[in-house]
Amino acid sequence: MSDQTITSVSREHRVFRPSAEFQRQANLGSYSAYKKLYAESVNAPEKFWTRQGKELLSWRKPFKQALRWKLPHAKWFVGGQLNVAENCLDRHLGTARENKAAIIFEGEPGDIRTLTYKQLHREVCRFANVLAKLEVSKGDRVAIYMPMVPEAAIAMLACARLGAIHTVIFGGFSSEAIKDRVNDCQAKVVITADGGWRRGKVVELKSNVDRAVAATPSVKSVVVLKRTGNPVTMTEGRDLWWHDLVAQVPAEHKARGFDSENPLFILYTSGSTGKPKGVLHTSAGYLLGTTITSKYVFDLKDTDVYFCTADIGWITGHSYVVYGPLANGATVLMYEGAPNQPGPDRFWEMIDRHGVTIFYTAPTAIRAFMRWGDDHVKKHSLRSLRLLGSVGEPINPEAWMWYHTLIGKKRCPIVDTWWQTETGAIMVSPLPGVTPTKPGSCTLPFFGVIPKVLDEAGKEVPRGSGGKLFLKSPWPSMLRTLWGDDERFKRQYWSELPGYYFAGDGARIDEDGYLWVVGRIDDVLNVSGHRIGTAEVESALVSHPSVAEAAVVGRPDELKGQALVVFVIVKTGIEATKELREELRSHVAKEIGSLARPDDVRFAAGLPKTRSGKIMRRILKEIAAGGEVKGDTTTLEDFSVVAALQAQEE
Ligand code: WT7
């Protein structure tokens, strides 16, 4: 895919239909039922969402109007009041779900803990009381920087219960990244742990928080969960142990209802320029979007054990580890550590141990499993599985077939779910009892979603041709704005084509109306399913004293989807050594987090630029991929730069 044109080359003809057996038990089991509901959802959206809102959520005060739409600002379920945590917990109490497992937790060292709905409810109430004592109330921001342990979900739900806004920061981010995010949203409290287990080692979360909080004046308290027993420094008057705090408060908490549009969380995500964007989601619409998609896409039943491998630091962890599944009263398996600890079959072992029925993971993980070898899979029965899911990037047909054959034993439908941090919930996906699947396609839109593939002029491209992916019309779980930057919200998502939401992806729609997403079209990379902004990595590089200029591009990578290749011009008098190369890799990891550690650092004397000074990334991409520089180079200021970069390759 070049910068100018989006060409889609994949042509996949295999089709897999849902089995009659799956269809019979599915929450939605026929194509005609889907067609009918979909038609209603796009032709009479207010009627459709009013009914779903009433049926799927429990309200403190009923809403008056499903949608108030003043492009690009939406208000959903206007006039209504509810409590998100009550919807995930309290409403299951006094029912048959009360004593079923809400969360089955497995730590990396092998410790297992189960929390029933009743127990989880008590823990959330307790922690809500703790936060209230720390003077957290409606609208206050709370940062959560924790390992994948039940307390992370408890902290999120406790915020929701108080009407406070959580911002979860992925545990792989560095102290710099914590500082930026906390300062951007002015969080009052940070919740962390003395560490988490990853690949047999302790991830030092608390010391990262210490470094960050030294430069975040808004933070009044730091709550520290004891997870590993790793020694930490506690700062008097600021740092408090989780276990001390919960011991001092009751396990009952009377919740109140909050407005449908009360902010629920901010989640930072990479954009093509500048600092990360604080995507803001609100209460009722987000909860409805995650609840209804969990019900129909994951076909959730009371008997399921559902395992989503995403970290709660990402939107997938918010929507499909915490809010969606719990609102449906499901049993969620939560795992702390790495997929290959102690061995490459950890997931398959856990699936058999807990009787997992639904498994949701990312293509990058699937490609890693493939590389580790089939034998690790074949040692386990995986008999309990009935449904598989994929998210985060396009799944290549080969990985799809492997997933289908080795993990699903050809009997489990695969739902390839396309969505984004900004969309809050799944937008395009097969419904497992409904949609015939094609390996590599996320197939058909979910209720209320109208995807359009358009060209530069905003015209619909012919079936089968590539273009930019847009969504027409608002949906309940859409982002409401970017925290503190509504102008950027309008510019980024709503100005590419007036009236349409711009997703930033390239796609095509085939002759059957199936959507094929081919990847990002802006300067955002997708590395192992994580969005990384090239601008962020570049600014991390130039913050190093030896670097004068830097450009970052992606190179196709079998395992990660894209690998990070950086081109660096050093300052005069600085020597481009092997040591400096390593130092720059570590520097980026320190500034952003190890997920952004460049795979390849290349020193250059100059970068290919247009006469107006814009870096021609297309050329750098071609060089990074080891290919010939093709296409138009007439706008290039100085071709010798390219020749020099290529000569270095040989
Ligand atoms: C971007 C969103 C949604 C949670 C995980 C990532 C890519 C996501 C798919 C899919 C093809 C996909 C897109 C999208 N993407 N799912 N099933 N097929 N591409 O959330 O970090 O907000 O990234 O991930 O490029 O725009 P995110």
Side-chain angles (χ1 to χ4, degrees), residues 69-83:
W69 179 224
K70 268 206 209 117
L71 195 124
H73 295 111
K75 285 199 166 93
W76 283 89
F77 306 110
V78 182
Q81 283 187 1
L82 49 59
N83 185 296

Side-chain angles (χ1 to χ4, degrees), residues 269 315-316 390-395 416-422 442 503 505 517 519-520 526 529-531:
T269 188
I315 189 70
T316 309
S390 171
V391 64
E393 58 179 309
I395 180 166
D416 174 0
T417 61
W418 178 86
W419 58 296
Q420 311 177 293
T421 304
E422 293 87 343
C442 54
D505 281 346
V517 173
R520 308 287 305 166
N526 191 326
H530 304 314
R531 262 159 76 175

Side-chain angles (χ1 to χ4, degrees), residues 7-82:
T7 42
S8 185
V9 287
S10 137
R11 292 285 179 268
E12 172 64 55
H13 295 294
R14 287 169 287 200
V15 176
F16 297 83
R17 284 168 209 292
S19 67
E21 196 191 343
F22 195 99
Q23 279 185 305
R24 261 196 301 278
Q25 61 78 58
N27 289 344
L28 200 70
S30 83
Y31 197 74
S32 57
Y34 160 73
K35 271 280 179 228
K36 206 170 143 225
L37 280 170
Y38 179 76
E40 188 202 358
S41 76
V42 296
N43 297 326
E46 299 242 356
K47 183 167 161 243
F48 177 85
W49 290 118
T50 296
R51 189 174 72 248
Q52 300 300 339
K54 284 183 183 166
E55 264 174 31
L56 294 176
L57 300 183
S58 92
W59 295 88
R60 282 294 189 98
K61 188 175 153 211
F63 57 90
K64 291 202 188 78
Q65 191 186 351
L67 170 67
R68 197 172 293 161
W69 179 224
K70 268 206 209 117
L71 195 124
H73 295 111
K75 285 199 166 93
W76 283 89
F77 306 110
V78 182
Q81 283 187 1
L82 49 59

Side-chain angles (χ1 to χ4, degrees), residues 53-337:
K54 284 183 183 166
E55 264 174 31
L56 294 176
L57 300 183
S58 92
W59 295 88
R60 282 294 189 98
K61 188 175 153 211
F63 57 90
K64 291 202 188 78
Q65 191 186 351
L67 170 67
R68 197 172 293 161
W69 179 224
K70 268 206 209 117
L71 195 124
H73 295 111
K75 285 199 166 93
W76 283 89
F77 306 110
V78 182
Q81 283 187 1
L82 49 59
N83 185 296
V84 171
E86 275 187 346
N87 271 272
C88 293
L89 301 168
D90 305 52
R91 70 162 151 167
H92 307 310
L93 305 184
T95 77
R97 287 176 181 155
E98 180 170 285
N99 293 318
K100 78 176 267 194
I103 296 177
I104 300 172
F105 167 71
E106 192 167 313
E108 197 186 74
D111 49 322
I112 293 172
R113 190 155 47 117
T114 299
L115 285 154
T116 64
Y117 271 93
K118 185 163 188 157
Q119 292 166 332
L120 182 61
H121 175 257
R122 287 173 64 84
E123 295 307 319
V124 170
C125 286
R126 249 190 233 287
F127 202 66
N129 286 325
V130 165
L131 290 177
K133 258 177 97 171
L134 297 176
E135 290 175 357
V136 170
S137 62
K138 177 176 163 325
D140 287 339
R141 276 79 61 207
V142 174
I144 299 174
Y145 181 68
M146 292 184 87
M148 267 298 272
V149 293
E151 284 77 7
I154 291 168
M156 291 163 75
L157 290 162
C159 289
R161 197 170 184 90
L162 295 172
I165 307 171
H166 60 68
T167 186
V168 183
I169 302 169
F170 173 56
F173 277 124
S174 67
S175 55
E176 278 297 309
I178 306 170
K179 185 191 80 189
D180 291 346
R181 286 160 175 75
V182 167
N183 281 334
D184 187 72
C185 71
Q186 294 285 294
K188 214 177 195 177
V189 174
V190 178
I191 305 166
T192 187
D194 62 352
W197 292 105
R198 184 95 194 161
R199 287 209 178 87
K201 293 202 188 78
V202 173
V203 183
E204 304 262 348
L205 300 167
K206 176 63 167 67
S207 49
N208 284 345
V209 168
D210 289 341
R211 272 193 297 277
V213 170
T216 59
S218 63
V219 174
K220 302 289 171 262
S221 328
V222 176
V223 179
V224 188
L225 176 79
K226 191 169 252 171
R227 163 67 188 140
T228 59
N230 182 46
V232 293
T233 326
M234 298 293 279
T235 299
E236 184 79 42
R238 185 196 73 190
D239 298 356
L240 304 152
W241 286 107
W242 177 297
H243 56 264
D244 288 340
L245 293 168
V246 295
Q248 297 160 15
V249 294
E252 291 81 38
H253 176 267
K254 246 182 104 182
R256 43 185 272 238
F258 295 99
D259 191 271
S260 292
E261 284 296 332
N262 194 47
L264 180 63
F265 65 85
I266 302 166
L267 187 59
Y268 288 88
T269 188
S270 292
S272 53
T273 52
K275 59 183 174 99
K277 304 176 285 192
V279 169
L280 181 75
H281 283 289
T282 59
S283 299
Y286 170 80
L287 187 64
L288 182 64
T290 54
T291 304
I292 188 172
T293 48
S294 297
K295 176 174 170 185
Y296 291 115
V297 177
F298 296 122
D299 193 46
L300 277 181
K301 304 282 176 3
D302 264 310
T303 44
D304 280 312
V305 177
Y306 162 91
F307 181 19
C308 167
T309 66
D311 191 278
I312 50 139
W314 307 118
I315 189 70
T316 309
H318 286 57
S319 301
Y320 298 111
V321 175
V322 181
Y323 293 109
L326 295 181
N328 278 283
T331 294
V332 176
L333 173 64
M334 193 173 179
Y335 171 59
E336 176 185 33

